[in-house]
């Protein structure tokens, strides 16, 4: 049955062991991502929601630092060694957060909650860099093209299961922070899978060619117009996502002041995002890509976000956006904000990210891994940091209103469309140039 299922998905006999191990690695990573995100967000928003603006800023800084360090070592040690080392550090960090939360005074406990929330983005970014980095070294380009559309299905299924099970396990974990135990068990599971992969398969080794380090420096790669556009696109995408997330989480604690209610809502909400992502990945993505191509696929997210942002703006203007002044009708604004957050996350995870990865294919294969890590890691977290700066500055202004953020998002959508148009044109130029170069040889 398993063999038939994999054969149906286009997996060759000799690829099955690698596929099973990658699915298992993704499954354990998915459990970690789901439980860590819900735990950190619930604890933080329930007690420290007034520090949300600072947390976005610090999260961006930590994201840039962690991905820069990851990129630095990628060209200097074997990638599998870097991945295993990163996973060990995540295990130690999760254990440390659990220890200090349960064995410290209130000030240190609050600091632990703040740090836990700030680490959601950086840890998730490192895990995904590890996962996709191993995937890229375990399969060649022809194999990757067949498998990339569904290889993270194990991760998605785990995230969905973990999120939906959290509300039903409250009798086992009455204290939300105890879900960190599940986080540690799951990340150790991923670590074991990666060690098995390292033992059983010869992954691509780091190149000893000194030009590799030189060609993947930021000062070098950002001179390439195509890579610059890839970077600008990712920054706009992350800033848009962060603004929608900030609006949603600002309203969330007012809507669910009770700790357990907040935990359960976040679990169901995140579970719904990933369940819809899985359905879209399985039944919609291939049709969109095959029928409309890369350019239209990238237009879908900003178009949907723009439509829902207009709805949020109208709901806030007509029915109110503050639960204190409009307790009966405020819910309309909250619903539009929540749905915007849901679709932004769903389409980003299920469609935009896989399509975006395809845009790295025209790059020189000798340097592609290094460039992709820097862009998807450091540049992506730079977008989070830029959003954090603007959010922090906005909240300093006493006249700033949360209903203004949909207007800012609409401005970002305009930039989104322009960058996609230019990026797609450069993508075609890169493909044409690569084909001409191949023909010439």
């Amino acid at each position: 049955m398993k063999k038939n299922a994999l054969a149906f998905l286009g997996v060759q006999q000799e690829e099955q062991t690698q596929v099973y191990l990658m699915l298992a690695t993704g499954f354990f990573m998915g459990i970690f991502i789901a439980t860590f995100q819900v735990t950190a967000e619930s604890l933080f928003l329930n007690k420290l929601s007034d520090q949300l603006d600072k947390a976005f800023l610090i999260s961006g800084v930590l994201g840039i630092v962690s991905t820069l360090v990851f990129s630095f070592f990628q060209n200097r040690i074997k990638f599998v060694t870097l991945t295993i080392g990163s996973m060990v550090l995540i295990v130690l960090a999760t254990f440390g957060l659990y220890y200090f939360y349960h064995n410290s005074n209130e000030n240190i406990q609050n600091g632990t909650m703040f740090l836990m929330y700030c680490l959601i983005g950086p840890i998730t970014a490192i895990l995904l860099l590890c996962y996709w980095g191993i995937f890229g070294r375990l399969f060649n380009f022809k194999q990757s093209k067949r498998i990339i559309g569904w290889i993270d299905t194990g991760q998605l299924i785990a995230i969905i299961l973990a999120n939906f099970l959290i509300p039903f396990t409250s009798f086992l974990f009455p204290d939300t922070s105890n879900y960190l135990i599940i986080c540690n068990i799951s990340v150790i599971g991923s670590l074991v899978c990666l060690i098995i992969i390292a033992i059983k398969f010869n992954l691509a080794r780091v190149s000893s060619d000194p030009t590799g380090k030189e060609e993947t420096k930021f000062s070098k790669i950002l001179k390439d117009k195509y890579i610059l556009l890839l970077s600008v696109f990712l920054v706009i995408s992350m800033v848009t996502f962060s603004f929608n997330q900030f609006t949603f989480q600002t309203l969330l604690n007012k809507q669910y002041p009770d700790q357990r209610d907040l935990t359960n809502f976040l679990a169901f909400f995140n579970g719904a995002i990933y369940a819809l992502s899985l359905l879209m990945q399985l039944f919609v993505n291939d049709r969109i890509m095959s029928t409309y191509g890369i350019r239209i696929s990238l237009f879908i997210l900003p178009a949907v976000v723009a439509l829902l942002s207009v709805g949020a703006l109208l709901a806030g203007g007509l029915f109110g956006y503050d639960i204190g002044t409009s307790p009966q009708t405020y819910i309309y604004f909250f619903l539009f904000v929540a749905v915007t957050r849901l679709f932004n996350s769903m389409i980003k995870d299920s469609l935009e990210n896989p399509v975006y990865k395809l845009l790295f294919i025209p790059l020189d294969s000798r340097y592609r891994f290094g460039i992709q890590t820097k862009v998807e890691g450091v540049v992506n977290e730079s977008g989070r940091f830029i959003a954090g700066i603007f959010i922090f500055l906005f909240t300093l202004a006493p006249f700033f209103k949360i209903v203004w953020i949909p207007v800012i998002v609409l401005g970002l959508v305009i930039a989104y469309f322009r960058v996609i148009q230019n990026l797609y044109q450069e993508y075609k130029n890169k493909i044409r140039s690569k084909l001409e170069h191949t023909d010439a040889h």
Side-chain angles (χ1 to χ4, degrees), residues 267-440:
F268 280 126
F269 187 82
N270 291 339
I273 288 174
Y274 287 103
L276 290 170
S277 295
L278 179 60
L279 291 173
M280 189 166 177
Q281 205 172 82
L282 291 175
F283 302 111
V284 180
N285 280 12
D286 286 343
R287 290 188 178 185
I288 292 175
M289 281 290 294
S290 60
T291 305
Y292 300 106
I294 287 176
R295 185 169 67 98
I296 299 300
S297 298
L298 291 175
F299 276 141
I300 290 174
L301 190 151
V304 172
V305 166
L307 185 65
L308 292 171
S309 295
V310 170
L313 190 61
L314 292 173
L318 295 173
F319 303 111
Y321 53 86
D322 191 311
I323 195 170
T325 56
S326 308
Q328 302 300 319
T329 54
Y330 151 86
I331 189 65
Y332 297 111
F333 178 65
F334 175 77
L335 286 174
F336 265 106
V337 168
V339 172
T340 304
R341 169 77 168 88
L342 186 149
F343 275 92
N344 196 166
S345 297
M346 180 195 74
I347 299 173
K348 186 176 177 65
D349 289 338
S350 64
L351 182 62
E352 184 180 89
N353 287 347
V355 171
Y356 184 74
K357 291 181 188 303
L358 295 176
L359 297 177
F360 287 93
I361 289 177
L363 299 179
D364 190 325
S365 59
R366 294 173 296 172
Y367 314 125
R368 182 166 60 243
F369 286 138
I371 294 170
Q372 191 167 353
T373 298
K374 281 188 167 65
V375 174
E376 292 191 317
V378 181
V379 172
N380 185 65
E381 294 304 307
S382 297
R384 194 189 306 275
F385 175 65
I386 291 168
I389 291 175
F390 280 109
I391 288 168
F392 183 75
L393 292 175
F394 289 152
T395 55
L396 288 178
F399 52 83
F400 178 77
K401 306 295 182 186
I402 197 72
V403 75
W404 294 358
I405 289 186
V407 179
I408 299 168
V409 169
L410 287 172
L412 286 166
V413 165
I414 295 172
Y416 225 129
F417 280 123
R418 295 200 59 166
V419 171
I420 290 171
Q421 194 67 38
N422 293 332
L423 178 60
Y424 182 68
Q425 186 59 47
E426 284 300 313
Y427 171 76
K428 290 196 297 183
N429 293 340
K430 279 281 184 185
I431 292 290
R432 190 181 301 114
S433 174
K434 193 165 187 174
L435 291 173
E436 290 172 354
H437 181 74
T438 301
D439 291 340

Side-chain angles (χ1 to χ4, degrees), residues 204-236:
R205 292 175 177 270
V206 62
S207 173
S208 58
D209 184 358
T211 60
K213 297 174 186 176
E214 186 64 33
E215 292 295 323
T216 57
K217 285 183 176 179
F218 273 113
S219 57
K220 178 79 173 179
I221 64 177
L222 292 181
K223 290 179 181 177
D224 186 315
K225 184 179 179 181
Y226 182 63
I227 299 174
L228 180 62
L229 284 168
L230 282 170
S231 301
V232 173
F233 172 86
L234 199 56
V235 168
I236 293 172

Side-chain angles (χ1 to χ4, degrees), residues 28 31-32 35-36 87-99 178-191:
F28 286 117
I31 293 174
F32 175 89
T35 50
F36 188 82
M87 301 290 280
V88 170
L89 288 176
I90 291 172
V91 170
L92 294 175
T94 309
F95 176 79
L97 290 169
Y98 179 83
Y99 177 82
N178 286 329
Y179 284 107
L180 290 173
I181 299 170
I182 304 298
C183 292
N184 245 344
I185 294 171
S186 59
V187 79
I188 289 171
S190 286
L191 180 58

Side-chain angles (χ1 to χ4, degrees), residues 86-140:
S86 300
M87 301 290 280
V88 170
L89 288 176
I90 291 172
V91 170
L92 294 175
T94 309
F95 176 79
L97 290 169
Y98 179 83
Y99 177 82
F100 284 109
Y101 182 84
H102 285 275
N103 298 279
S104 303
N105 59 41
E106 186 178 358
N107 287 334
I108 295 178
Q109 189 181 67
N110 287 341
T112 302
M113 283 189 289
F114 186 88
L115 178 61
M116 196 187 309
Y117 179 86
C118 292
L119 285 174
I120 296 172
I123 287 180
T124 302
I126 294 298
L127 285 175
L128 294 179
L129 286 174
C130 290
Y131 184 82
W132 289 109
I134 291 292
F135 173 80
R137 289 160 175 81
L138 199 56
F139 300 99
N140 60 38

